[in-house]
Amino acid sequence: MSDALILNLVLFLPLAGVLALLLVPASNPGAARSLTLAAMVLQFLLTAVLYVHFDSAAPGLQAETRLPWIAGWGVNYQIGLDGYNILLVMLTAFLGPLVVAGSWTAITKDVKLFYAMVFLIQFAMVGTFVAQDLFLFYVFWETMLIPMFLMIGIWGGERRIYATIKFFLYTAFGSILMLAALIYLVWSLYKTTGTVSFAIADILKARLPLDVQTTLLAAFGLSFAIKVPMVPLHTWLPDAHVEAPTTGSVILAGVLLKMGTYGFMKLGFPLFPDATQLYTPLLLVLSVVSIVYGACLALVQNDIKKIIAYSSISHLGYVMLGLLSLEIVGIQGAVIQMVSHGLVAAGLFLMVGMIYERCHSRELAAYGGLAKLIPVYSVFFLILTLASVGLPTTSGFTGEFLALLGAFTSAWPQYQAGHSLPLVVAVTAVSGVVLGALYMLRFALTFLYGPAQAPHHSEAHPLADLNGREKTILAILVVAVFALGLFPDEPMRKTEGAAKAYRSLVMTPRLPAGGAQ
């Protein structure tokens, strides 16, 4: 079986799962759960085969399929793997079975519909990562909105309608701007070359005046910055996380937020290199504001879901910092940080869901002394907390350290040349590490070592510790966190070629002949 065929199976297996769910009786939710878990495990195994086969030394796309779709518009069904997406596709497939297993007992209403939405969003997320045609990318990008909207709106909390509307308005606004910019890009390519093409490789050759690049970067950038999210476009995230079911929060934090940073890396910055260079100081400032402000907001929260939600804003600020450094080590650190945050945030949200199923409260003040009440749960929670803080040997350390190293490596020559802003940004970003330790250790101290208490816990009915299913889920995540932290060399080899290509694209001016503005 060719790698191209395997990649198509990975992409379309969730859609086959949706069709298979139609055959499952509504009176048998257990069968729906089992079917979904089996399909997700198969998808992960197929993705693992692609990961092993991926040749880091080979240039260009691998496992590529390109077929005419809307020939008159120059639209093709083109998918493939490269150093930009291989780790993120692997992350998406890895989290799939854990998401299903984590929702095993939490979802009791409309079970078939729920898992159909899980399948649909898995299809859209993988499709967004592997799409190599802008039209196809946009279709998958928009498709992601539908299942997440329904997940929050149907299975969410008391304020789910408010959260879904806010989520929809923010993301739809950004998407409309990106669509307009996308159409203009294709039209510009047609004007200059006479060719109508949505292929990303073709559009990367377009030469645009600086003012046009600036406008289009703003359109793409707003869409991606909303998805990251970067301050001040972040306010939809806490509401979405708080009201979403645990599965929705895990998918949102684990994969969906990476769509924004991936969009900047794959499209936003390489498509408009001159505008990116011009506005790098502003983007650096917004990145470090997201790091520090997100950490400060997490520090004062009492809702345990909001603590993790705001921490995501801070952690993904390091990804932007690494991408903007234009240093190979920083770019690779950004990719590692994307994967690391996906693992750690997914684990923390799963653990919040596990304690919520038992106690039905998300208020930090309602808990204390869980280390005595449920010690196995507490051990896993402390490990993931330390990974979030960036403890050496964990993936959190590897990603943040490399991103910061890239930022300092880039900033020092600029400081010597009289430009102090990049160095100020890099130094300020380090404070995010300190603040991260403060809010996560405050969280753990109260949660695990305060006076022993938990809603619905009593001597007659003690709080139940983790069961076998929950231990297995968390053990798999913890192994992955340490594996990425201790052995980052292999994943970094997979991304090195893409990091070099990204750096070359962003650093090479692409103004029209004569440098027209």
Side-chain angles (χ1 to χ4, degrees):
M1 188 184 297
S2 70
D3 286 350
L5 179 57
I6 295 174
L7 182 57
N8 280 281
L9 287 174
V10 166
L11 175 58
F12 287 101
L13 188 60
L15 281 190
V18 174
L19 297 176
L21 280 176
L22 296 176
L23 305 177
V24 176
S27 59
N28 191 357
R33 295 185 181 99
S34 299
L35 170 66
T36 309
L37 180 61
M40 291 296 187
V41 170
L42 178 58
Q43 186 190 46
F44 169 68
L45 294 175
L46 292 171
T47 307
V49 171
L50 291 173
Y51 180 83
V52 172
H53 288 179
F54 187 82
D55 183 0
S56 55
L61 291 175
Q62 300 179 42
E64 182 183 9
T65 299
R66 180 174 176 139
L67 299 169
W69 183 16
I70 310 174
W73 293 3
V75 176
N76 293 289
Y77 168 74
Q78 184 182 9
I79 63 171
L81 294 174
D82 53 29
Y84 291 105
N85 62 22
I86 183 65
L87 294 186
L88 296 171
V89 173
M90 190 68 186
L91 171 68
T92 307
F94 177 79
L95 290 179
L98 303 182
V99 164
V100 176
S103 64
W104 205 261
T105 56
I107 301 299
T108 57
K109 180 179 76 170
D110 297 324
V111 174
K112 277 179 58 175
L113 178 61
F114 179 81
Y115 286 113
M117 293 303 102
V118 172
F119 272 136
L120 184 57
I121 200 165
Q122 191 80 350
F123 166 70
M125 291 188 301
V126 172
T128 302
F129 286 134
V130 302
Q132 304 298 328
D133 181 280
L134 264 182
F135 187 91
L136 188 64
F137 174 88
Y138 186 79
V139 169
F140 282 123
W141 180 273
E142 288 299 283
T143 302
M144 287 188 297
L145 180 62
I146 301 167
M148 182 54 67
F149 180 89
L150 293 174
M151 269 190 193
I152 301 172
I154 297 175
W155 294 277
E158 292 181 3
R159 299 176 70 244
R160 60 186 180 274
I161 303 302
Y162 169 78
T164 51
I165 291 174
K166 193 171 183 179
F167 168 70
F168 177 83
L169 290 176
Y170 266 82
T171 51
F173 173 72
S175 296
I176 289 169
L177 293 176
M178 182 167 66
L179 177 62
L182 185 157
I183 293 170
Y184 185 87
L185 263 177
V186 175
W187 178 75
S188 297
L189 184 69
Y190 172 72
K191 270 186 63 179
T192 55
T193 67
T195 302
V196 179
S197 175
F198 282 83
I200 293 172
D202 291 337
I203 292 176
L204 281 170
K205 300 172 185 175
R207 292 179 173 270
L208 299 168
L210 184 58
D211 57 343
V212 174
Q213 285 194 36
T214 299
T215 303
L216 297 182
L217 176 62
F220 273 90
L222 275 172
S223 183
F224 298 146
I226 288 169
K227 195 75 81 177
V228 172
M230 294 178 72
V231 175
L233 303 170
H234 66 287
T235 58
W236 65 269
L237 182 66
D239 294 306
H241 267 311
V242 167
E243 300 305 325
T246 298
T247 301
S249 292
V250 173
I251 293 172
L252 193 59
V255 183
L256 269 187
L257 301 187
K258 313 307 176 299
M259 297 299 171
T261 48
Y262 173 76
F264 276 117
M265 179 175 65
K266 178 74 175 180
L267 298 174
F269 297 152
L271 283 174
F272 315 111
D274 305 281
T276 298
Q277 293 281 351
L278 181 64
Y279 287 98
T280 289
L282 173 62
L283 293 166
L284 283 172
V285 170
L286 290 176
S287 299
V288 79
V289 167
S290 295
I291 291 171
V292 176
Y293 187 60
C296 289
L297 288 173
L299 188 59
V300 297
Q301 299 303 315
N302 191 46
D303 185 307
I304 55 181
K305 262 194 167 186
K306 281 190 176 182
I307 295 173
I308 306 169
Y310 282 120
S311 76
S312 295
I313 298 170
S314 184
H315 287 302
L316 290 174
Y318 289 104
V319 176
M320 295 301 297
L321 203 64
L323 292 177
L324 290 165
S325 72
L326 297 184
E327 295 289 336
I328 300 299
V329 66
I331 298 162
Q332 289 188 285
V335 178
I336 296 295
Q337 176 68 357
M338 281 191 255
V339 178
S340 171
H341 177 265
L343 297 172
V344 175
L348 288 170
F349 274 118
L350 282 167
M351 297 204 76
V352 169
M354 291 170 189
I355 197 69
Y356 184 79
E357 276 191 69
R358 290 160 168 79
C359 300
H360 305 289
S361 175
R362 292 191 305 266
E363 293 301 309
L364 182 59
Y367 295 96
L370 296 186
K372 292 181 180 179
L373 302 178
I374 42 176
V376 177
Y377 176 95
S378 301
V379 168
F380 279 114
F381 186 85
L382 192 57
I383 291 171
L384 291 173
T385 295
L386 294 175
S388 179
V389 167
L391 183 75
T393 72
T394 67
S395 59
F397 172 79
T398 305
E400 287 187 8
F401 176 76
L402 292 176
L404 284 170
L405 181 60
F408 276 100
T409 303
S410 172
W412 185 248
Q414 296 182 64
Y415 175 73
Q416 291 179 313
H419 304 290
S420 59
L421 179 63
L423 186 61
V424 171
V425 166
V427 171
T428 307
V430 176
S431 67
V433 178
V434 179
L435 289 169
L438 281 175
Y439 66 72
M440 287 307 297
L441 294 179
R442 163 188 170 265
F443 185 6
L445 185 65
T446 304
F447 206 48
L448 305 182
Y449 301 108
Q453 61 174 345
H456 307 297
H457 166 78
S458 66
E459 292 184 7
H461 300 284
L463 195 60
D465 210 336
L466 298 179
N467 57 38
R469 172 180 59 86
E470 293 166 332
K471 290 176 187 175
T472 302
I473 294 168
L474 295 175
I476 291 170
L477 277 168
V478 166
V479 168
V481 165
F482 280 111
L484 186 59
L486 291 168
F487 308 106
D489 190 50
E490 176 61 23
M492 289 178 68
R493 272 201 296 269
K494 303 283 190 188
T495 62
E496 184 176 6
K500 291 178 178 177
Y502 165 84
R503 184 175 189 269
S504 175
L505 284 168
V506 179
M507 293 190 72
T508 303
R510 211 156 56 240
L511 294 172
Q517 301 297 302

